[in-house]
Amino acid sequence: MGWAIVVALAAIAGGALWKWGRLPRSSFEPIAAALLLGLAGYALQGSPNLPDHPVKPPEDLSKAKEAEIEIRNQMGQQRFGTGPSWLMAADGAMRAGLPTAAVAYIKSGLKQNPRDPDLWVGLGNALVVHSGGMVSPAATYAFQKAAEIAPNHPGPPFFMGLALAQSGQFAQARAIWTELLARAPADAPWKADLEQRLAQLPS
């Protein structure tokens, strides 16, 4: 019974995206991959025959992850094409605890869109998670590549600063965020969040 429900939900989600999502055909591949990833995760970890015993995830961590996705969407420059679809697939992999799959999805997207700064930012974020929260040279390169493609894009310095702050490199994070805040438009939707994060950095 559990399998039937899961497969039905996946089919409904895919059908709804196909019928009402108004997505280009090129985006079907990453969306299908995300749905199949969910089914694979259920196959590996699901136990439909066991009685219900819901476990609530840590609220602060889940909210933080969703908040970062929201900020990335606010800062994103590309609203059309396949880039956002690959990021959606990567977000699904991250939620499932599969950062390796998230990195693979974004790399596939970069093969199609090598000049998409949002994908490079997403790759940097995924590589940080993949390396256990450390800012690896590969992640640094991804953030720098995004900044090179779009010098005025707030995403690269914001998420580079976030990665540094989360790894305990507070002085470097403060320097990057202070510079970003100085050039932030007054009506930027992410400005208040950046001000709050700067104020919370340990001195």
Side-chain angles (χ1 to χ4, degrees):
M1 183 66 179
W3 269 109
I5 293 174
V6 170
V7 173
L9 288 174
I12 291 171
L17 287 171
W18 174 77
K19 186 172 183 179
W20 293 295
R22 298 181 179 179
L23 300 174
R25 289 185 177 273
S26 56
S27 67
F28 289 170
E29 180 182 347
I31 291 173
L35 292 173
L36 290 175
L37 175 67
L39 291 175
Y42 183 79
L44 291 172
Q45 301 181 12
S47 300
N49 296 324
L50 294 178
D52 291 342
H53 183 66
V55 177
K56 187 176 180 180
E59 186 176 358
D60 56 338
L61 293 180
S62 61
K63 284 186 176 180
K65 184 179 295 184
E66 295 303 322
E68 290 170 15
I69 292 174
E70 176 61 25
I71 293 171
R72 189 196 66 205
N73 291 337
Q74 291 175 354
M75 293 180 171
Q77 294 188 336
Q78 180 173 317
R79 300 299 182 187
F80 305 99
T82 61
S85 299
W86 286 111
L87 288 172
M88 285 173 55
D91 290 341
M94 285 294 191
R95 292 187 181 100
L98 300 171
T100 301
V103 171
Y105 286 144
I106 297 177
K107 285 184 175 179
S108 295
L110 283 169
K111 289 180 181 179
Q112 299 178 2
N113 310 273
R115 300 287 296 174
D116 185 336
D118 295 330
L119 282 174
W120 281 107
V121 169
L123 179 60
N125 291 334
L127 288 170
V128 169
V129 176
H130 184 267
S131 61
M134 302 300 295
V135 187
S136 65
T140 300
Y141 173 81
F143 291 127
Q144 291 175 344
K145 184 69 175 178
E148 175 189 322
I149 294 171
N152 295 324
H153 192 334
F158 177 85
F159 285 102
M160 181 67 185
L162 181 62
L164 290 169
Q166 291 174 342
S167 65
Q169 302 178 63
F170 304 122
Q172 296 92 321
R174 181 178 291 102
I176 292 175
W177 279 350
T178 299
E179 191 278 333
L180 175 60
L181 185 61
R183 62 182 176 89
D187 59 347
W190 44 266
K191 185 176 181 181
D193 181 272
L194 177 59
E195 290 173 336
Q196 182 179 1
R197 290 176 187 269
L198 255 174
Q200 292 175 346
L201 280 179
S203 56

